Amino acid sequence: MVGNDNWINSYLDAILDAGKSAVGGDRPSLLLRERGHFSPARYFVEEVITGYDETDLYKTWLRANAMRSPQERNTRLENMTWRIWNLARKKKELEKEEACRLLKRHPETEKTRIDATADMSEDLFEGEKGEDAGDPSVAYGDSTTGVSPKTSSVDKLYIVLISLHGLVRGENMELGRDSDTGGQVKYVVEFAKALSSSPGVYRVDLLTRQILAPNFDRSYGEPAEMLVSTTFKNSKQEKGENSGGYIIRIPFGPRDMYLTKERLWPFIQEFVDGALSHIVRMSKTIGEEIGCGHPVWPAVIHGHYASAGIAATLLSGALNLPMAFTGHFLGKDKLEGLLKQGRQSREEINMTYKIMRRIEAEELSLDASEIVIASTRQEIEEQWNLYDGFEVILARKLRARVKRGANCYGRYMPRMVIIPPGVEFGHIIHDFDIDGEEENHGPASEDPPIWSQIMRFFTNPRKPMILAVARPYPEKNITTLVKAFGECRPLRELANLTLIMGNREAISKMHNTSASVLTSVLTLIDEYDLYGQVAYPKHHKHSEVPDIYRLATRTKGAFVNVAYFEQFGVTLIEAAMNGLPVIATKNGAPVEIHQVLNNGLLVDPHDQNAIADALYKLLSEKQLWSRCRENGLKNIHQFSWPEHCKNHLSRILTLGMRSPAVGSEEERSKAPISGRKHIIVISVDSVNKENLVRIIRNAIEAAHTENTPASTGFVLSTSLTISEICSLLVSVGMHPAGFDAFICNSGSSIYYPSYSGNTPSNSKVTHVIDRNHQSHIEYRWGGEGLRKYLVKWATSVVERKGRIERQMIFEDSEHSSTYCLAFKVVNPNHLPPLKELRKLMRIQSLRCNALYNHSATRLSVTPIHASRSQAIRYLFVRWGIELPNIVVMVGESGDSDYEELLGGLHRTIILKGDFNIAANRIHTVRRYPLQDVVALDSSNIIEVQGCTTEDIKSALRQIGVPTQ
Ligand SMILES: O=c1ccn([C@@H]2O[C@H](COP(=O)(O)OP(=O)(O)O[C@H]3O[C@H](CO)[C@@H](O)[C@H](O)[C@H]3O)[C@@H](O)[C@H]2O)c(=O)[nH]1
Ligand SMILES: O=P(O)(O)OC[C@H]1O[C@](O)(CO)[C@@H](O)[C@@H]1O
């Protein structure tokens, strides 16, 4: 057999290279560790003897004999082949004798053992089928109900997943192409595929960024891509045109640029607006197909990674829908890891990784999520536990109180659930029997092309292959692996090393981080002179990755992942699925994966010798190797996407019923706001009252046109109460009825004018609150519990003069409302920075939005989903006003929610000039620069000097709003 010839010849070569001792002793030995001494050469001898047919070996000897020549190597080869063939014959005879003996003595025992193994694996598989969905040991936090309905009772769910960074596509993923295209991309795509095939699910949209940059495949620019499930097929009955799984690419940020995840932050609001339109449209479309004309809203909006966490928070708020979150890799852990490495200061780390922005996004996700999906218990207890907004013990206590129906005093915790990711079992190739031999490896089967691409690097290509598959990213610690290999002579004699580190053309053209990892690796290979022993192919396809694992298994190799820290480690389950034992980092999830799979050894990733020793042990102890391989294969079913989805869906179904309250068509037809083409939202709060009035007058005058008087409407958006703003307008002779709506109390209430008579002219105008909006924002509102806590806290904010303490903050009931707790600030100089107050609220698990306004003379506390920028999105959801047709006018600074008003698809006009009151410490809400929040150079933001009618007109003209 041609295939076997190659393998045998390669082993023979390896034996010659490793030394003569293996077959040159006094007597032929089959023992790998004779007298306690392991020899790589003997290892190869045993491989040949146990792995190949005695007739193959005979043929090899004949060939060696025929090629006889005076060269020493050939003579050695011939002698060795002969000896090995004889050893193989002897072994075969011994095996036959042993088999006969066993058959006579224990026929029953053998059968029972095989059956028991089969039974046990079946038990495990069954036990995993969602039965632990209600297991409190895997959940922390509150739950809306104690029951977890079966997924079979679910029908026609629409689910939205969001993952913003990296190159996302359904087929031939370019994993490892850059540091953002890795395990998370694979996770979300496979999850979306499996979820869309799950019973009860109608449609899954995986929302990501549309990338139209040069040098990137056009597939990343396609607005929609249908996903084909490889996991399992759902019945196609009852499915409509828009059912299934889709990747939906939303444009945001600079059109022709690919942005790394650190650079996406300022554009997230833009994504949210684009996604909002898609979701509203799709919910209606699905409603037409299966909802009798009523929109079918997403059952959950699920953000993946911090950036998508913010996006999901804003979308779930704007639509009043439940949110789920998966962190993938948490910022706090990343920060600590980087600090430990000691290469960069905290500031440098923040500059490079925007880590504080990321941590705040994760905190916000905790505030808004109903459930957080973790891959392991460690993620919850050691990672999430570091966040202000989550604490294991408090979570347990609150959960217990919820279960008993006791008062939680306005405190809420997201429910933490452990659901590890799965592997696509479609890729499993059962072509190895238990000894690692390929069954069906007949003459017709060709070696996969990637094998030769790898083997061409090696002098002895069939030596056990140590395989690493990782993005070229410093945290993956590939250089320590190369050092461990390079400095351990016995390991180098025994094994080869294959490094799959993404795809590349020229290292010089790669991103700095990846380029420097690759350069270090190549330098080390050169330093240790590892040529012929290390493979580092330039290219591989996603579809070839399983073949690479199989090659490593075929050589009886090992998979190695010595990342400094691994959040989960998809590669570890991929290796197990392909029968490859593993050496894995003991930092992070691999510990728990190991508890389930028990298919290898854990090591300290900082300890180079420990890595080398573990690899040597695993490769040289054949029984250990086989046991690990078997264990991995036996237990891998515990990582299955269908199971993941089933578990996931059972959680989703326990979430409270929430949906957008959009009112009836009739209501919409009556409201003047819904008929407007443009809306101007005046949100200027960095000016005194006189200037505010002046700006309002000028804006109305600038936008007033005789031809189309009703095409532009006005909304006033403020931290004032409705009576405060109306009194102000009336006091200067303006009619509040001239406005379509008032966004008051910092976005926690919206009012519309209401006429008591038949026509506006003969009737009295009152302002009615939008109750639908109230239901959008009431989520997690702490109510009386929150108020009591704040009142108590206010007493602790004091100014000290000698022994005298003077309280600085007082409850302001007059300006409070159902969803806005107002406090007067006596002296803003004694206020704690807002970020401290927010931290405090989170530590107390009081989920709210605290902001300073009126130049920090007032503190308002509103629900997490109430803000002036979210109120603008609500205008779109409720009244259908397209966001790009909304113009928001702001000053040069403003209340603490000011910055949120700048980003997004709406247009912003910033009025500049000395009528603005200088910004003060209210801006200390951030721990990161403004550039991480908003793209100030966006074409949606226009700055004008001055606030006269002409100034405003010129700005409106620039953005296409009709003026006189
Ligand atoms: O050159 C490469 C490098 C990687 N991969 C694949 O990319 C994925 C890598 O996944 P993983 O080992 O999990 O690493 P990361 O890319 O770092 O993924 C992040 O996100 C994953 C999903 O949450 C977590 O499992 C990880 O811990 C976290 O670091 C695997 O499918 C690999 O097969 C390739 O195909 N080619
Ligand atoms: O290295 P970071 O910034 O912690 O990010 C890790 C993230 O990047 C990726 O590794 C690449 O996709 C994600 O899988 C993961 O969520």
Side-chain angles (χ1 to χ4, degrees), residues 173-177 179 181-187 190 326-329 375 421 469-473 476 500-503 540-542 545 549 559 561 565-572 574 589:
M173 287 174 241
E174 296 185 88
L175 301 181
R177 167 166 172 168
S179 53
T181 310
Q184 185 183 327
V185 168
K186 185 173 156 86
Y187 179 122
E190 291 185 356
T326 304
H328 288 277
F329 207 116
S375 294
V469 181
R471 294 173 290 124
Y473 210 45
K476 295 292 180 188
I500 303 294
M501 301 173 290
N503 285 286
H540 67 280
K541 294 194 198 101
H542 175 57
V545 173
Y549 287 110
F559 181 76
N561 175 343
F565 178 85
E566 196 59 80
Q567 181 81 14
F568 183 74
V570 169
T571 46
L572 295 173
E574 289 172 345

Side-chain angles (χ1 to χ4, degrees), residues 447-472:
D447 285 349
I450 190 70
W451 285 19
S452 55
Q453 291 300 309
I454 292 173
M455 296 216 275
R456 73 195 162 99
F457 282 88
F458 298 130
T459 314
N460 302 137
R462 271 82 179 177
K463 276 162 69 166
M465 181 194 285
I466 299 168
L467 171 66
V469 181
R471 294 173 290 124

